[in-house]
Amino acid sequence: MQTLWLKNPLAIYTGTHYDANGGVVVRGNTVIELVANGQNPHHPIDAVIDASQHVITPGLINAHHHFYQTLTRAYPDALNKELFNWLQSLYPVWAGLDEDMMSVATELALVEMMMSGCTTASDHHYLIPTGLEHAIDLQVEAAQKLGIRAIFTRGSMSLGEDDGGLPPRHTIQTEDAIVDDSLRLIRSYHQRDAGAMTQIALAPCSPFSVTTELMKETAYIAKQENVMMHTHLCETIDEEDFCLERFGYRPVDYLEEVGWLNNRTWLAHGIHFNDEEIQRLGKANIGISHCPTSNMMLASGICRNNELEAAGVSVGLGVDGSASNDGSNMIAEVRMAMYLQRLRYGSANVSHFDALRWATAGSAKAMGRDDIGTLAVGKQADIAMFKLDEIRFSGSHDPLAALLLCGAQQADRVMINGQWRVHDGQVIGVDINQLLTRHRKAAMRLAEKAQALR
């Protein structure tokens, strides 16, 4: 195995207290040494990468997304709406997804994230119309081809609008079909060892789109199979009202009732918790994926990151779907998280270090991973390297702060599992123009199918 020294970076964030200003040493797929300022590695080195023009961070980790939504960015019928009305506008469109659309949407989302410094991507795919029963298989294939670390959550919807739920009948599945496929995917793809490249979690979509029985059955399966669970929770006040009216519980009480208040669970959004609920979530070691851009676009509210972390909740970061974010750019999302949280807590109480922590170690811990998220000896060699040579950075003085304050948009190099996957800002082995052409055609075809059904 080659031993590689990323030497003397312009700046480095490791997520640890160790001095690594002299760089990082990688052997195979593992970090084996952090080099202090002015020092040389203790290990024999086979190759050196001059990092003097780069800011280095751990690979960014996306804790919540919907890859298929890259096909419906800035969709006219969904503009200027809040969550429930936005969903009702888009459910009929998404019901037209087919396998080709799913594959190209997944590939484009992953490429976009890799180009922005993301090394581990989680996706929540819950919409599986007839003909798309192998959606997750297609996603696994795309991720393995690209060489990105991925956590695919087998989503589901079982509560249709005719039974009091939000999604239309033709977008839901039976509970037997959901359970059977969940078990199939776990046994086919879920890797359990440190350094796992592909993992499966179970992810009923939300309290307003699945039954109580499915939530309970999911908790049982997750415990038996030792996998993580994921769902949307407390994204909007409408959701809170729905839970109170249908179940007689606030969302966190409902979570406890169905057996989800434990360390196998991470939640998307987590905005509308009261103080007592935050303490309960912390004691249960719950994870939260903060999704700032989506929350602003849909006017959902602001996650209480500081109180959640203080209570013991693992706070991570997600771009959320590309129809409510309209992008899949992780480094841009880190900046957005920092600024949105400053609106809540003030500039002195949220730093660029906080935002980088949410996007790395926070996301890793939220999703049950302890092998990624920091640059430390023994951790996986997942590394993002950014240049500050664009006009936006001219005149900046603190390189690490400038990465966020000046608005970095793209990584120069990205290493995943010890392998270079992005070089000179481009994903290795991907014809980006061909991918864009395929993706645009798929998006147009999906829109045309929706128009034809009107």
Side-chain angles (χ1 to χ4, degrees):
M1 291 186 291
Q2 185 182 60
T3 302
L4 179 66
W5 179 17
L6 307 181
K7 182 179 179 181
N8 295 338
L10 180 63
I12 186 167
Y13 170 79
T14 64
T16 75
H17 63 275
Y18 294 107
D19 178 4
N21 289 305
V24 180
V25 179
V26 172
R27 178 180 296 155
N29 65 353
T30 307
V31 175
I32 64 167
E33 186 177 352
L34 300 180
V35 182
N37 187 41
Q39 301 298 307
N40 290 313
H42 294 105
H43 293 82
I45 301 298
D46 298 314
V48 175
I49 298 292
D50 177 7
S52 61
Q53 300 301 310
H54 290 91
V55 175
I56 292 179
T57 73
L60 306 180
I61 301 173
N62 181 60
H64 184 67
H65 203 345
H66 307 291
F67 293 170
Y68 72 91
Q69 290 184 15
T70 60
L71 296 168
T72 52
R73 304 193 218 235
Y75 195 80
D77 290 348
L79 297 177
N80 308 319
K81 295 179 179 179
E82 296 186 11
L83 180 66
F84 276 24
N85 291 331
W86 176 84
L87 284 170
Q88 288 169 330
S89 297
L90 286 167
Y91 279 145
V93 182
W94 296 333
L97 287 168
D98 62 26
E99 290 192 349
D100 179 66
M101 295 173 189
M102 192 71 202
S103 290
V104 72
T106 297
E107 184 177 354
L108 184 123
L110 288 170
V111 166
E112 187 177 1
M113 283 192 289
M114 292 168 76
M115 290 170 65
S116 69
C118 180
T119 56
T120 300
S122 174
D123 189 52
H124 185 183
H125 188 71
Y126 55 82
L127 197 139
I128 306 180
T130 301
L132 197 59
E133 288 82 4
H134 290 90
I136 309 298
D137 303 80
L138 297 171
Q139 292 193 301
V140 171
E141 181 182 355
Q144 291 180 346
K145 175 184 172 184
L146 291 168
I148 187 171
R149 210 179 294 279
I151 301 171
F152 292 111
T153 73
R154 203 297 181 184
S156 53
M157 297 196 296
S158 64
L159 186 66
E161 57 188 351
D162 49 349
D163 291 321
L166 200 66
R169 167 61 58 181
H170 59 287
T171 64
I172 68 172
Q173 290 184 294
T174 67
E175 292 178 13
D176 285 345
I178 292 165
V179 168
D180 289 347
D181 195 51
S182 297
L183 290 169
R184 179 187 70 83
L185 290 167
I186 292 168
R187 291 162 187 174
S188 297
Y189 300 118
H190 184 67
Q191 298 171 357
R192 301 181 183 277
D193 295 338
M197 291 295 292
T198 305
Q199 291 191 315
I200 301 293
L202 303 182
C205 182
S206 61
F208 51 81
S209 58
V210 298
T211 63
T212 298
E213 291 72 25
L214 182 60
M215 291 291 287
K216 290 180 177 179
E217 182 68 10
T218 299
Y220 173 78
I221 295 170
K223 184 176 182 180
Q224 294 300 308
E225 299 290 332
N226 192 26
V227 297
M228 297 290 288
M229 300 185 292
H230 183 52
T231 193
H232 299 91
L233 200 81
C234 288
E235 184 175 0
T236 66
I237 294 296
D238 286 341
E239 178 195 316
E240 181 179 311
D241 294 340
F242 179 94
C243 287
L244 285 168
E245 181 177 343
R246 183 173 181 87
F247 309 121
Y249 294 110
R250 286 175 55 83
V252 173
D253 295 324
Y254 178 67
L255 204 69
E256 184 168 25
E257 170 66 18
V258 296
W260 278 58
L261 205 62
N262 58 63
N263 63 359
R264 282 185 296 278
T265 298
W266 91 94
L267 307 169
H269 304 293
I271 297 169
H272 298 285
F273 299 129
N274 62 34
D275 292 346
E276 184 269 340
E277 289 166 343
I278 287 174
Q279 295 303 312
R280 287 164 61 195
L281 293 166
K283 289 177 182 176
N285 295 311
I286 294 287
I288 300 286
S289 176
H290 176 37
C291 303
T293 302
S294 174
N295 295 159
M296 284 186 278
M297 200 284 278
L298 295 172
S300 300
I302 304 176
C303 186
R304 298 172 64 185
N305 284 20
N306 285 10
E307 288 102 322
L308 287 163
E309 282 195 307
V313 172
S314 300
V315 175
L317 189 65
V319 298
D320 199 12
S322 286
S324 62
N325 180 319
D326 300 291
S328 303
N329 189 315
M330 271 301 292
I331 190 61
E333 200 70 22
V334 184
R335 182 179 195 246
M336 199 68 79
M338 178 178 70
Y339 284 154
L340 184 60
Q341 290 299 314
R342 283 186 173 191
L343 279 180
R344 178 177 284 280
Y345 299 111
S347 295
N349 297 310
V350 178
S351 73
H352 55 287
F353 296 108
D354 294 316
L356 287 166
R357 182 181 67 253
W358 298 327
T360 53
S363 286
K365 189 176 180 183
M367 296 191 293
R369 298 289 294 256
D370 61 6
D371 56 339
I372 55 176
T374 59
L375 297 179
V377 174
K379 301 293 185 179
Q380 294 295 299
D382 291 1
I383 300 171
M385 301 175 66
F386 300 86
K387 281 189 172 180
L388 306 186
D389 57 358
E390 299 173 87
I391 193 170
R392 72 181 73 234
F393 299 109
S394 183
S396 61
H397 298 270
D398 181 322
L400 192 58
L403 188 68
L404 302 190
L405 296 175
C406 300
Q409 294 293 306
Q410 190 167 336
D412 178 60
R413 282 179 173 244
V414 176
M415 176 184 284
I416 305 174
N417 196 40
Q419 300 293 316
W420 292 115
R421 297 301 181 187
V422 174
H423 194 277
D424 292 334
Q426 299 299 313
V427 177
I428 297 170
V430 173
D431 184 330
I432 191 68
N433 290 324
Q434 183 185 72
L435 175 59
L436 289 172
T437 298
R438 289 170 49 220
H439 187 266
R440 288 165 181 158
K441 287 180 178 178
M444 186 65 68
R445 190 158 56 88
L446 181 61
E448 289 171 349
K449 286 176 72 172
Q451 290 294 327
L453 293 174
R454 287 188 168 186

